[in-house]
Amino acid sequence: MNLIFSTIYVCAISLIHLSTDSDFHFEILRDVAAGSYGHADVGEVLTAANSIVPGDFESFYRAFNTLANSVYDVALKIDVKKFPISARDTFFRASTYFRSADFYLHGNQSDPRIYSLWAQQIAAFDSAMALLSIPGKRVNITTPNGFYVPAIWYTPAGPKVRRPTVIIGGGYDGGQEELLPQMGINALERGWNVLTYEGPGQASVVRYQHLGFIFEWEKVVTPVVDYLYALDVVDSSAIALVGLSFGGILAPRASAFERRLAATLALDGLYEFGALFLKQFPDKLVTIFNSGNSIQFDNAVSQAMTSSLVTTEFKWTVDQGMWAFNTTSPFDWMTQLQAYTLVDVVDKIPGPMFVADSATDTFFTGDGAVLASKLGNRSTYYEFDVASGVGHAGVGGYRMQCQVAFDWLQGIFDKC
Ligand SMILES: *[C@@H]1O[C@H](CO)[C@@H](O)[C@H](O)[C@H]1NC(C)=O
Ligand SMILES: *[C@@H]1O[C@H](CO)[C@@H](O)[C@H](O)[C@H]1NC(C)=O
Ligand SMILES: *[C@@H]1O[C@H](CO)[C@@H](O)[C@H](O)[C@H]1NC(C)=O
Ligand SMILES: *[C@@H]1O[C@H](CO)[C@@H](O)[C@H](O)[C@H]1NC(C)=O
């Protein structure tokens, strides 16, 4: 199977398709999934999806931008004093849709919508967040590494005591706002504190600090743990780190160096990301890449991008990769990616680590199992099977992912 000229059904083997374009299917499903915790409504997402033309990035933008604005307008007209629950829910939904409107626009790095839509999703989210029983709070965590870590701090209602805390980070795309419905609400319901964050390469750090991904993810996580240590409602013996999607390699990497974590969760687990990624490319491109001829590789990728046969998945992966690695050269991006492996640090990871795979995630099939086998008894492995409907990073089954992963984590916290 190769990424360019064949269709890869990322999360689709057994699900009804929401688009004939498998990548669009997954991205629409991602919004449907956010509905599980009230950050989308299924009907309006599916209605908007009806106007999306497979493979047409602008049509994806238009469908979600129209929906986002119309839901946001409704939210603005709600009397917040009188109907705070309605306002909160409606602002949260608008925020989800503004993020989706932005999703396929990163191919042109100077497209101003990359910024305007993000400002809109943040504004909508913040309006909603202020209406939570205990409002979430944005903080910039300073680091000695030339950047700050934008984070959102949430603590559950109830007595002011030291509680277990979950640090939740995302992956290759998406914003920290999405992490609230993905796992945050569930953690808060369990009485845990939640801190979501973004590091270099991720949504707002690329936009506002112009920093691409770094693999030394402990440079991001250690300042976050320092920050938590200073809070009087954090039980410092019970801090866990969750990495979703591409975060499934970033979090394990950080845990090899940051030793104050009670547990790490890789959802889903990745071990040799760079190599695995390159393997999905057509043989011809792999050969050129391995020859080290950067100009030839860049030209070949550009050519593939404009082919009428190119898949959405390939196009988006390259667009997003170059944006998130702050480069305009595919060769540079692919070279950077090769550093993303745990081979050198896996022996230093103390565990315990929860490592998952999703059987429907054909892109990274089985890499979690590899990570778990390298960790041996330092890890607990779980595969979400096809029937579970729990796809890549939990998409489609957030409640079940939380059930399995957080019940495991509860067992760890109980011993802290
Ligand atoms: C990228 O977007 C900018 C700003 O909208 C526009 O001026 C430029 O023509 C676009 N470039 C391409 C290649 O479409
Ligand atoms: C974080 O820093 C950015 C850039 O200085 C600023 O715009 C933003 O308001 C800050 N956020 C908080 C919560 O301080
Ligand atoms: C990111 O890319 C831009 C444009 O090429 C460049 O000006 C900036 O210095 C880069 N940032 C870093 C941290 O390298
Ligand atoms: C894991 O296995 C190692 C080597 O067999 C053993 O020394 C260690 O005690 C085991 N740890 C746990 C938590 O079972």
Side-chain angles (χ1 to χ4, degrees), residues 133-288:
S133 53
I134 295 190
K137 190 179 115 193
R138 286 190 186 269
V139 290
N140 289 336
I141 299 171
T142 55
T143 79
N145 307 314
F147 57 85
Y148 61 87
V149 178
I152 306 177
W153 165 256
Y154 305 92
T155 194
K160 202 174 166 224
V161 292
R162 289 193 182 270
R163 298 168 180 276
T165 301
V166 196
I167 304 167
I168 308 175
Y172 196 68
D173 57 80
Q176 63 172 320
E177 292 78 8
E178 181 183 20
L179 305 174
L180 182 60
Q182 199 163 358
M183 299 196 91
I185 294 170
N186 187 286
L188 287 163
E189 286 175 348
R190 289 166 191 259
W192 302 341
N193 300 312
V194 171
L195 186 117
T196 62
Y197 74 98
E198 289 168 5
Q202 297 182 322
S204 69
V205 181
V206 176
R207 282 180 179 81
Y208 309 122
Q209 300 184 67
H210 310 291
L211 292 171
F213 273 109
I214 56 170
F215 189 45
E216 299 83 14
W217 206 248
E218 61 279 7
K219 289 185 176 168
V220 184
V221 170
T222 288
V224 169
V225 176
D226 289 343
Y227 173 82
L228 293 176
Y229 260 63
L231 300 181
D232 62 6
V233 292
V234 170
D235 172 355
S236 59
S237 73
I239 297 174
L241 175 66
V242 176
L244 288 150
S245 191
F246 186 47
I249 194 164
L250 302 174
R253 157 76 198 199
S255 79
F257 298 89
E258 172 47 67
R259 313 305 287 254
R260 293 169 293 177
L261 301 167
T264 306
L265 296 87
L267 308 168
D268 301 319
L270 292 167
Y271 182 64
E272 278 199 274
F273 184 83
L276 198 64
F277 202 84
L278 182 61
K279 257 207 314 231
Q280 314 270 345
F281 271 55
D283 293 347
K284 202 179 123 216
L285 283 175
V286 175
T287 307
I288 301 171

Side-chain angles (χ1 to χ4, degrees), residues 337-397:
L337 274 183
Q338 298 315 301
Y340 289 71
T341 169
L342 297 175
V343 171
D344 303 332
V345 299
V346 72
D347 290 342
K348 297 199 187 95
I349 295 175
M353 191 182 299
F354 181 87
V355 181
D357 268 326
S358 165
T360 54
D361 186 344
T362 56
F363 202 83
F364 298 115
T365 311
D367 213 30
V370 177
L371 173 58
S373 76
K374 301 286 177 195
L375 290 168
N377 66 2
R378 289 169 286 158
S379 72
T380 297
Y381 176 72
Y382 189 92
E383 186 188 50
F384 290 101
D385 65 12
V386 173
S388 73
V390 181
H392 175 73
V395 169

Side-chain angles (χ1 to χ4, degrees), residues 100-131:
S100 288
D102 162 78
F103 193 79
Y104 285 102
L105 299 180
H106 300 182
N108 179 352
Q109 297 184 4
S110 22
D111 190 329
R113 293 174 296 179
I114 294 173
Y115 290 88
S116 58
L117 289 165
W118 212 252
Q120 286 173 295
Q121 81 91 9
I122 287 177
F125 192 88
D126 287 357
S127 298
M129 197 165 63
L131 297 167

